[in-house]
Amino acid sequence: ATKRALLESESDKIFRSHEELNNLQTMPESAVFAILTSIDKIHHMWADKQLTSLMLASRFGYLSAVKTLIQNNADVNAKSADPRDICTALTMACEEGHFEIATALLDAGADPNELWDENKPTQKTPLMHAAENGHVQCVELLIERKANVDAHKKGRNILMFACQYGYTTSARLLIDAGADINAIKKKDTLVPGSAPFSERVNSGGDMSALSFAARFGQTSAVSLLLERGFDIEVEGNQPFWTSLHRSAGNGKPEAAR
């Protein structure tokens, strides 16, 4: 299975479970354009008030429809209704790697940090979506537009997403932009690399960017992190829980070398 096939977002489930959206996906692009940009659909909420027409156009990759909707004052920062996994037009564009659409949305005022809440980090930001899917152009764009490179979802930061799926170019861009290479995921909390060593050391079950890379056999990501100064000591002295032992235990001995 491809890396993309292993990922399933709430928006994927919405698309499969609502007949009206499935019908849209089977129509020619010209027909979808006409429907989404019609006056009565510009502010319409599809799929039980989950998604706007702008979100759908962004997801389908219809740049002309996106531009028309923006010109007609569609809300570029509107959010889907499901609190479990909130979507915006920008998150959908970045998840699918639609660079030109992401650019158009940002130029129209879309906020790359709209879904980042430091006090309640439960949503994926556009940069998370781009990084975990290996969409390098979108990663570069979002970094350029000041997306928070250290945002996290329940303790798992953007660098961890990129390293788990082996997207080394995206990981390098994040590190170059100042992403915290030594942060540690402890349950649903992210402990920054600037914290005292005693707070960061792996006590068993904690995860770092290196942990994610090694566990999933992403050798190039492991090498990158070590080259860029990852503090291997933070993995602790419990051999069973170190990233390299995890990797070997998962049948990925090459990442443990």
Side-chain angles (χ1 to χ4, degrees), residues 25 50 57 76-77 84 97-98 112 120 123 125 172 198 204 209 220 223 232 238 245:
Q25 292 184 98
Q50 292 281 353
V76 294
N77 286 310
R84 295 170 298 176
H98 298 315
K120 191 178 179 182
Q123 305 297 330
T125 67
R172 184 178 292 108
S198 60
S220 60
S223 297
I232 192 66
Q238 302 180 57
H245 280 76

Side-chain angles (χ1 to χ4, degrees), residues 55 58-59 88-99 101-103 105 135 138:
M55 291 176 197
S58 299
R59 173 63 181 268
T88 65
L90 186 59
T91 61
M92 288 193 157
C94 292
E95 182 179 8
E96 298 300 323
H98 298 315
F99 170 75
I101 290 176
T103 301
L105 292 167
H135 299 314
C138 288

Side-chain angles (χ1 to χ4, degrees), residues 136-172:
V136 174
Q137 278 189 304
C138 288
V139 170
E140 290 181 304
L141 173 67
L142 291 163
I143 290 174
E144 178 184 315
R145 298 300 182 93
K146 308 302 181 185
N148 188 329
V149 296
D150 284 321
H152 64 93
K153 179 180 180 181
K154 295 183 178 180
R156 186 177 172 196
N157 67 13
I158 301 168
L159 183 60
M160 294 172 189
F161 279 107
C163 289
Q164 175 177 343
Y165 295 104
Y167 293 121
T168 310
T169 301
S170 293
R172 184 178 292 108

Side-chain angles (χ1 to χ4, degrees), residues 1-20:
T2 64
K3 290 171 183 172
R4 182 66 186 87
L6 296 174
L7 302 173
E8 185 180 81
S9 69
E10 286 299 317
S11 58
D12 291 320
K13 298 172 188 175
I14 292 169
F15 269 73
R16 287 198 306 273
S17 62
H18 292 274
E19 184 177 353
E20 63 179 354

Side-chain angles (χ1 to χ4, degrees), residues 181-182 184 197 200-202 208-211 214 222 225-238 241-245 255-256:
I181 195 173
N182 287 311
I184 298 291
F197 181 81
R200 293 185 296 117
V201 67
N202 193 335
S208 63
L210 184 69
S211 304
V222 170
L225 292 166
L226 293 176
E227 289 168 4
R228 292 301 184 93
F230 179 85
D231 183 5
I232 192 66
E233 296 299 321
V234 80
E235 290 293 341
N237 297 316
Q238 302 180 57
W241 286 108
T242 66
S243 295
L244 303 184
H245 280 76

Side-chain angles (χ1 to χ4, degrees), residues 12-188:
D12 291 320
K13 298 172 188 175
I14 292 169
F15 269 73
R16 287 198 306 273
S17 62
H18 292 274
E19 184 177 353
E20 63 179 354
L21 299 186
N22 287 327
N23 289 341
L24 278 178
Q25 292 184 98
T26 63
M27 293 179 183
E29 180 176 346
S30 58
V32 177
F33 175 91
I35 292 171
L36 294 181
T37 59
S38 60
I39 295 301
D40 64 328
K41 296 298 184 186
I42 291 174
H43 303 292
H44 177 69
M45 295 294 286
W46 299 78
D48 296 334
K49 299 184 179 180
Q50 292 281 353
L51 308 171
T52 66
S53 291
L54 184 59
M55 291 176 197
L56 296 181
S58 299
R59 173 63 181 268
F60 290 150
Y62 296 158
L63 178 61
S64 58
V66 167
K67 289 182 175 179
T68 298
L69 288 162
I70 289 173
Q71 289 169 1
N72 284 279
N73 300 314
D75 184 354
V76 294
N77 286 310
K79 301 175 185 178
S80 61
D82 189 344
R84 295 170 298 176
D85 196 344
I86 297 174
C87 303
T88 65
L90 186 59
T91 61
M92 288 193 157
C94 292
E95 182 179 8
E96 298 300 323
H98 298 315
F99 170 75
E100 290 183 321
I101 290 176
T103 301
L105 292 167
L106 288 164
D107 287 346
D111 183 354
N113 297 307
E114 177 69 23
L115 298 181
W116 168 237
D117 183 348
E118 185 175 2
N119 297 315
K120 191 178 179 182
T122 59
Q123 305 297 330
K124 284 185 181 178
T125 67
L127 186 52
M128 288 179 200
H129 282 290
E132 76 169 351
N133 286 287
H135 299 314
V136 174
Q137 278 189 304
C138 288
V139 170
E140 290 181 304
L141 173 67
L142 291 163
I143 290 174
E144 178 184 315
R145 298 300 182 93
K146 308 302 181 185
N148 188 329
V149 296
D150 284 321
H152 64 93
K153 179 180 180 181
K154 295 183 178 180
R156 186 177 172 196
N157 67 13
I158 301 168
L159 183 60
M160 294 172 189
F161 279 107
C163 289
Q164 175 177 343
Y165 295 104
Y167 293 121
T168 310
T169 301
S170 293
R172 184 178 292 108
L173 288 168
L174 291 165
I175 294 170
D176 288 345
D180 189 347
I181 195 173
N182 287 311
I184 298 291
K185 180 184 187 302
K186 289 181 176 285
K187 295 184 178 180
D188 289 342

